[in-house]
Amino acid sequence: MSGVLVLMEQHGGKWNRMSFEALAAGQQLAAKLGTECSAALIGEGAATLASELAGKKLTKVFNVQHALLHTYTSDGYVTALEQLVKQVGPTHVVLPHTYQVRDFAPALATRFRQVLISDVIAVHDGPVFVRQLLQGKLNADYRHAGTGPCFVSVQAGTFRAEAVEAGTATAEDFTPQLEASQIRNKPGEPFREAAQTVDLSAAPLIVSVGRGIGEQENIGIVEELATALGAELAASRPICDNGWLPMERQVGSSGQTVSPKLYLSVGISGAIQHLVGMKGSKTVIAINKDENAPIFEVADYGVVGDLFEIVPALTKAVRAA
Ligand code: FAD
């Protein structure tokens, strides 16, 4: 076994944006291991995209094709990719942590009696894979101890797609042996990500809510302020991770990057991963009960106090103005 194989995701000839982040992670891992990196594309539309990888630093690009793979099924993908991984023999298989990957990758790893090290945020020498625990409060280091290939999925926004190294790659078709009887689950594409309906990057006014809000039911008071100001509602990551607001409203390194005229932050501490997404805002106002919260370092105006007193009073004042 040698080399790193990156399984990239596409739908009908369109890349999933996280595929290139996974490719950057795969190349970085290969460089640490002093080995080569290859990539694979699967499903209808893959052939068109394989040629786009010709200018990347990859040993091979595998175009996995079969009529039974035209529509996504986890059984079809697992069976086809198991054959590819057996033929290529990589030490590591890297995937983007997409909804589709969450569906089939654990089963693929199981075919090799391995687990999926999921949602990795960094790779250190060793290799050591870093995952977050307890909503980002702890980082845990994982090492692969098995004898089979190590399967790793990478978290959105943690590796930069721009870091993908240029070079040359040769494309090669791979046709798996597939029978309709091997596919027990019904075809369909339930894991296509929903179309984005909010473009925070274009919003002139944003009111953003963080974990200081405490409970999902309390978000209403911040939403009322946003409505009174005619602003878009945004959030820090824990709010979206909890499912209190949709992911498309997340600001930060793994969310949207915004640059409004006014960014009003409510109960957000100001972690670096949040700041990188909003530091381009023209004016920042922060409400936080902790006067030492890092958000105040980037705020033009700061209010130290309890958001549950300040936000309703502010909404009332805006409505009265
Ligand atoms: P906390 O850090 O818990 O802060 C809550 C704040 O609310 C505190 O400062 C507290 O003083 C204040 N507060 C509490 N009660 C009140 C009250 N009654 N009134 C006023 N203030 C109050 N985070 C993002 O936001 N976006 C990202 O895209 C993102 N991507 C990440 C990517 C990676 C790879 C990693 C490792 C982390 C990422 N994070 C991201 C998470 C980030 O590190 C922080 O954990 C997160 O931003 C913290 O969110 P928060 O400020 O809402 O919560």
Side-chain angles (χ1 to χ4, degrees):
M1 288 201 313
S2 72
V4 173
L5 178 65
V6 181
L7 302 182
M8 297 177 77
E9 184 172 316
Q10 62 87 34
H11 297 276
K14 291 204 174 110
W15 290 111
N16 181 305
R17 69 183 174 93
M18 287 163 62
S19 282
F20 285 89
E21 296 174 8
L23 192 53
Q27 286 182 331
Q28 193 179 312
L29 175 61
K32 282 187 190 300
L33 296 167
T35 186
E36 59 193 33
C37 184
S38 291
L41 291 139
I42 183 167
E44 192 172 23
T48 344
L49 294 182
S51 58
E52 287 184 23
L53 296 177
K56 307 297 177 201
K57 189 181 170 194
L58 290 167
T59 307
K60 280 210 177 125
V61 175
F62 296 97
N63 172 26
V64 184
Q65 284 304 315
H66 194 285
L68 289 171
L69 297 172
H70 283 183
T71 308
Y72 170 76
T73 59
S74 57
D75 281 345
Y77 272 41
V78 168
T79 309
L81 292 171
E82 178 189 5
Q83 293 172 26
L84 177 73
V85 172
K86 279 185 175 155
Q87 179 176 302
V88 177
T91 56
H92 293 79
V93 179
V94 177
L95 308 100
H97 194 67
T98 63
Y99 288 109
Q100 187 168 284
V101 162
R102 287 174 220 198
D103 187 51
F104 78 80
L108 176 61
T110 305
R111 296 268 175 114
F112 294 85
R113 296 182 173 272
Q114 301 297 315
V115 295
L116 173 70
I117 304 178
S118 62
D119 227 6
V120 161
I121 62 163
V123 181
H124 299 319
D125 289 345
V128 171
F129 301 101
V130 184
R131 294 183 72 230
Q132 289 194 308
L133 303 177
L134 301 173
Q135 295 189 342
K137 288 199 188 302
L138 284 181
N139 280 352
D141 291 348
Y142 289 73
R143 285 170 204 271
H144 177 58
T147 48
C150 172
F151 291 83
V152 173
S153 70
V154 297
Q155 189 178 97
T158 51
F159 293 86
R160 296 269 150 228
E162 310 84 78
V164 169
E165 285 185 75
T168 51
T170 328
E172 188 174 304
D173 285 342
F174 179 82
T175 310
Q177 303 293 315
L178 280 184
E179 304 285 340
S181 59
Q182 290 169 301
I183 301 175
R184 292 158 301 164
N185 48 358
K186 285 204 173 68
E189 287 187 289
F191 301 100
R192 189 183 291 253
E193 284 170 46
Q196 191 154 303
T197 53
V198 187
D199 183 8
L200 293 178
S201 63
L205 301 173
I206 292 179
V207 177
S208 197
V209 57
R211 190 147 47 185
I213 198 67
E215 307 278 339
Q216 182 172 19
E217 302 82 75
N218 299 336
I219 288 181
I221 63 163
V222 183
E223 201 166 9
E224 280 175 26
L225 176 58
T227 307
L229 285 166
E232 282 288 355
L233 184 64
S236 66
R237 180 163 166 169
I239 301 297
C240 301
D241 279 353
N242 284 344
W244 296 355
L245 285 175
M247 297 301 289
E248 60 187 6
R249 295 204 178 260
Q250 181 183 317
V251 169
S253 60
S254 48
Q256 295 203 48
T257 302
V258 300
S259 49
K261 282 192 208 149
L262 174 68
Y263 189 85
L264 175 47
S265 140
V266 179
I268 293 177
S269 60
I272 183 69
Q273 295 88 358
H274 186 81
L275 298 186
V276 294
M278 48 67 76
K279 65 182 182 200
S281 306
K282 195 145 186 258
T283 302
V284 176
I285 303 177
I287 301 170
N288 196 304
K289 68 177 184 185
D290 175 6
E291 64 179 22
N292 295 315
I295 190 76
F296 288 129
E297 286 165 28
V298 298
D300 299 285
Y301 303 94
V303 185
V304 179
D306 186 349
L307 71 89
F308 293 101
E309 289 170 19
I310 296 158
V311 171
L314 197 53
T315 307
K316 201 171 158 194
V318 171
R319 282 182 184 148

